Amino acid sequence: MTVTWEELGWERLAAGVGRCRLPGWDCTVGLVLGEGTALVVDAGSSPAEGALLRAQAGELAGGDVTHLALTHPHFDHVFGVPSFAGAEVYAAVGVAAVFAHEREELRLDAIRNGLPVAEADEAVAALVAPGHQVCGEWTLDLGDGRQVLLANVGPGHTAHDLAILVPGEREVVFCGDLVEESGDPQAGPDAVPSQWPAALDRLLALGGEDALYVPGHGAVVDAGFVRRQRDRLATRFGVS
C-alpha cells in the first residue's frame, strides 16, 4: 500500500513536492520527487533525525534519496548530513569551508541551543563537505521533465544562503532561514545584515508573485509576506 504525505506528517505543496516541520526547532525539511530520484532540502539537526528523514523520504519516493540540498550551514539544518551517505550533496560556495574550519563553533552553537552533547559530538565527527558547491545558479535534472533550480541568493541570514526553486503550476521556493514565519528572523554572528534585504529581493525575483515561499521555520507564506519581512529587515538593520 502506498503511504501518503499526510500519514507521515508531511505537508504536500504541489505534485511531488512537500515539506515537514521538525520538532524541537520547528525546522523545515523539503522533498521533491522526480523519476527514480528524490531531492531532500536540509537534513535535520542530528544523524538520528537525518536517518528518520531519509527513511520517510524513501517511503514517499518509493526509492532512496538521491540528492540533498543545504540552504545554509546551521546545525539544525545540516547535522543530519552524515545520514545521507551516497546522495549528491549541494550547498552554496563556502559551506565546505565552514564544515572544515568551523566545526567547533557549530558544535557549541548546537549545544547552547539544547542539542545533547553526545549528539552534537557524533554529528561533528561524521560531518562531510558537500560534493557540489553552487556559485550563481545550478539546474538539477530529476527526470520525468522535472528540473529544480538551486540559486545562491545570499549572503543574508548567513554568508552562504541557497534557495531552491521548484517549477510547476504554482512554483515552490524553499527559502531556508532567509525567511522565517514563526518568529523574527534570527541574525547571529555569521549573518550579513547589510545584504539581507537584497537577498530577499533576489528571492522574490526568483519565485515571482504567485509562488509558495517555504521558510526555514514556520508556515508557508506568499510573496507579500516575504516583501514585508524584507522591509522590516531593512528598517531593523538600517539599509535600503
Side-chain angles (χ1 to χ4, degrees):
M1 184 175 65
T2 302
V3 68
T4 67
W5 297 83
E6 293 75 15
E7 286 172 333
L8 291 179
W10 290 63
E11 177 184 1
R12 184 179 179 275
L13 303 174
V17 184
R19 65 89 177 247
C20 68
R21 293 170 67 172
L22 299 173
W25 295 276
D26 188 29
C27 180
T28 283
V29 168
L31 176 61
V32 185
L33 304 181
E35 180 64 34
T37 59
L39 165 68
V40 169
V41 179
D42 284 336
S45 62
S46 69
E49 195 164 64
L52 176 62
L53 290 167
R54 185 170 194 168
Q56 290 183 344
E59 283 193 71
L60 292 168
D64 200 6
V65 172
T66 54
H67 300 76
L68 174 67
L70 305 175
T71 61
H72 63 288
H74 283 168
F75 84 92
D76 51 332
H77 297 259
V78 305
F79 270 13
V81 167
S83 295
F84 288 85
E88 298 289 330
V89 183
Y90 298 78
V93 167
V95 170
V98 172
F99 285 7
H101 304 299
E102 299 178 27
R103 287 175 179 249
E104 183 61 14
E105 290 87 341
L106 289 171
R107 174 184 172 275
L108 291 175
D109 183 52
I111 294 168
R112 281 194 299 267
N113 280 279
L115 189 70
V117 173
E119 293 184 37
D121 289 346
E122 178 190 7
V124 166
L127 198 59
V128 295
H132 306 283
Q133 299 191 69
V134 181
C135 179
E137 297 181 349
W138 189 313
T139 300
L140 285 182
D141 188 345
L142 297 180
D144 197 28
R146 165 150 279 168
Q147 293 186 325
V148 174
L149 183 68
L150 310 181
N152 188 335
V153 296
H157 176 67
T158 71
H160 319 291
D161 293 309
L162 189 73
I164 294 87
L165 171 69
V166 186
E169 185 173 336
R170 188 172 187 187
E171 295 182 331
V172 177
V173 183
F174 291 98
C175 308
D177 288 3
L178 283 168
V179 179
E180 295 192 43
E181 185 276 334
S182 54
D184 289 334
Q186 298 299 301
D190 59 344
V192 188
S194 64
Q195 297 298 316
W196 201 332
L200 291 183
D201 288 337
R202 289 189 287 273
L203 195 70
L204 287 163
L206 185 70
E209 286 300 308
D210 298 326
L212 295 173
Y213 291 87
V214 184
H217 303 265
V220 176
V221 300
D222 60 13
F225 179 95
V226 176
R227 190 171 293 106
R228 291 189 296 273
Q229 192 157 94
R230 180 252 183 244
D231 292 343
R232 288 196 298 273
L233 287 168
T235 300
R236 173 179 167 186
F237 297 130
V239 296
S240 59

